[in-house]
Each structure stands twice: as structure tokens, then as C-alpha cells.
Amino acid sequence: MVVRRVAWRSPWLDMSTLALITIVLVKCLDRRWDEPPMLAPLLAVPPALAGIGAASVRRPLAYGGVSMLAALFVWLKPTEFAGSLPGATMFTIVVITAVATLGTAVNVRQERRIATVRSVAEAAQHALLRPPPQRLGGLGFDVVYVAAAAEAMVGGDLYEVTRTAEHGIRVIMGDVRGKGLDAVELAADILGMFRELAHDAHTLGELAIRLDTGLGRSLGRYEEFVTALLVEIDQESGRASIFNCGHPPPVLISAAAGDAEPGDPGNRSVALMEVPAPAPPLGLLALGDCSGGQLSLHLQPNDQLLLYTDGVTEARDARRRFYPLPERITALARAAVRTPASNGSARHGLLDLLRADLLKHVGAPLEDDAALLLIQAPATWSPSLATVTSHAEPIVS
């Protein structure tokens, strides 16, 4: 198991140590007969610094050995007023090297234990988050999961797509408040309940209530809640419903009639599908009003619906600015249509571009996991609804 370290520490520490030891040796070996080696105690500094962020005990041991060798040269230089200073310097180097080595050993052991817990959580999370089928009921699906930095705890992002006999395609995208194995366990329970209840609940509101009730039965076991987005799509007509339980609103990407030339596939509009008033998150649903948590719309042919977790919109750059998803998705959607992925699929190209753009904005690994799920409408729906337009107003053109 590899314990990651900050790469820049090693060369700077090596150069600083070399400079310090060189200065001490030059000053101490070039002193007059009647001058004591006053700078000799500084030789205990390198092994102390070497223990900071060391990936193994070899680094403080190596620095301690070099410092001890330099102290030995200082001790061998005859002087009138040296006294016990050279001997005290060597003793200090031995003590500090031992302390730094012991601290490094304990720290490495703890980090390996943390890395083991994280790897177990990641394995459990990946086992739960099964990739959706590329096509289901005429709809296309694609998903991208961007893991956080190795030092961050694994999150509780979740998603699932299922086809029901009476209610069409139902989708959940959720995010557990919390981190670690507890969040993964709660996400597993939510996914298990969704896979069962999605076939029985008559409406998305009823499905949300039953999921919330299922969490309530575990009261005391969980202290967290789950933001969730429930989507239902009729694969024959394109009618869609969205029920939002405190989750970031999905993004609708559709062909737009604008100033571009007719038939230009790059002419796209983007709209946030915001419900009138989001319902409380799952686990807290009974504490608020759910009457405004639903939105209905008609997906047009080739429309795309993007679901995501807050790891996307809360990703910050070096200036602590949030990632502007609605603004960026317009240009990315146009670029994805004009330059599709290697397999010829524009929807895969969109998520690839979005992931690259997100990581470029942050400039480093994300601080929180991010999940993106893209739903692609087919080229044609039922003729009776072919002329129906979406009620959503574009926010970016």
C-alpha cells in the first residue's frame, strides 16, 4: 500500500540540510584554536526536520547519520575551549534521531491504517454504484465518478437507474451528508430500498416518503440525512417528472432555436430544472413541506438531462471560486457535439469534457467525491408528442 506524500518537501529539505551542514562544517573546522565550535549544536536540526512528512524511517535515520558524521569531524578538530560541546552535540543528535524515527514509524502505521479503511470504503462504494446500462427503454445513460484526493475520506454519493413495468424509467441521484464507511453504509441502504420501492410507489412523492420512512426505522443507527433527486421518464412519450429532496437541480441540455444556422448541432441551450420549493432531504422529510418539490416537463428528442452531486458545484479553484456548472456546460455541450468521443458518442464526450474541465478549474484533486449521470433522450418520441416543447426557460444561451 502506497502512502502519498507531498513531493516538493524532499528536494527542498535535502538542499536545506546540505547547506546547513556545509555552513556548520566550514565555520567549525575553520575556527581558531581559542574559539569553541558554537555552531555545532545546529547539526541536530536535520534529523528533526527529516521526521516531518517522512514516508519511512530511513529518511530520519539517514539524516541523523550524516549529521553524526559531521559532528565527528567537528569533535576531531583540536581546540582549547571545546569542553563537552562536541560530545553533547553528538548525544543530542542521537536522541533527536531516535525520537524522529519513532514518530515517523507511528505516523506511517496510522496512515496505512487510514488508507486501508479508505480502500475498503472505496471498494464497497464501487460495488454499490453499478454502472447503468448504456441504453434502457430507448434512453441512453452515461456516468462519471470523480474520486476526491487520497487524503480525503470517501463520500456517500449514490445513483441508480431502474426500469419499472408501470412507471417507466426511474432514477435516483443522492448524496449522504457525512463521510467514511458510515456514509457508504447509509448509501447502500438507500439504494437497496430504492431498487425495491421504485417498482411499487405510484408517484415520486410517494417514493420519497417511503424512502424517508425506511430511514426512520433506523432512527438512532444513522445521524445523517441524504439529499436526493428522483426522476421518472416515460420512455414512450418523453414525459418526465423530477422530485427534489434538497439536492442540486439537474441541468437540461436541449437543442435551441437561436441565431445559429438551421440544423447546427452545436446550437444548444441549458436550463436548470428547479422545482418551486425543494422538499427536505431524506431523513428529514417529515419536518418540512413537500408540496412544491416536484416539476414536470417533456423531454424533446435528443435532449440531455444531467444529474450531479454537490462535489461538482462546490469544487473550488485556487481563488476559492465555485465551479460555474451552468455557464461551462453550454460551451462543453457544443464542443461535445462537434467533437464526439472516440467511439462516436457525443454523450460520452460531454462527460469526458466536463470531468477534464472540472479538474482544470480546481487545479488539484477534488476535496469531495463528485458523481455525474447523463440521460440522453432518443432521436424520436411518439408522434403525438413530437411538437410539445419543454416548459423550462434557458438560463444560459
Side-chain angles (χ1 to χ4, degrees), residues 209-261:
I209 292 174
R210 294 178 69 174
L211 289 172
D212 181 81
T213 303
L215 288 181
R217 296 193 188 102
S218 302
L219 188 62
R221 180 183 175 190
Y222 298 123
E223 297 181 356
E224 307 294 353
F225 55 82
V226 183
T227 66
L229 195 68
L230 302 173
V231 179
E232 177 182 295
I233 303 174
D234 185 343
Q235 64 267 32
E236 296 181 358
S237 66
R239 290 191 180 95
S241 296
I242 298 171
F243 195 89
N244 193 327
C245 298
H247 197 79
V251 176
L252 177 65
I253 308 165
S254 59
D259 297 331
E261 295 181 2

Side-chain angles (χ1 to χ4, degrees), residues 161-211:
V161 177
T162 185
R163 183 177 185 176
T164 67
E166 299 180 2
H167 312 293
I169 305 296
R170 283 184 167 177
V171 182
I172 184 173
M173 170 67 77
D175 188 1
V176 178
R177 179 189 176 276
K179 302 291 183 181
L181 285 174
D182 290 341
V184 175
E185 182 182 3
L186 180 52
D189 284 352
I190 288 291
L191 288 175
M193 288 187 289
F194 174 80
R195 289 163 184 160
E196 178 182 356
L197 298 175
H199 299 272
D200 300 329
H202 294 289
T203 64
L204 293 182
E206 179 185 347
L207 177 57
I209 292 174
R210 294 178 69 174
L211 289 172

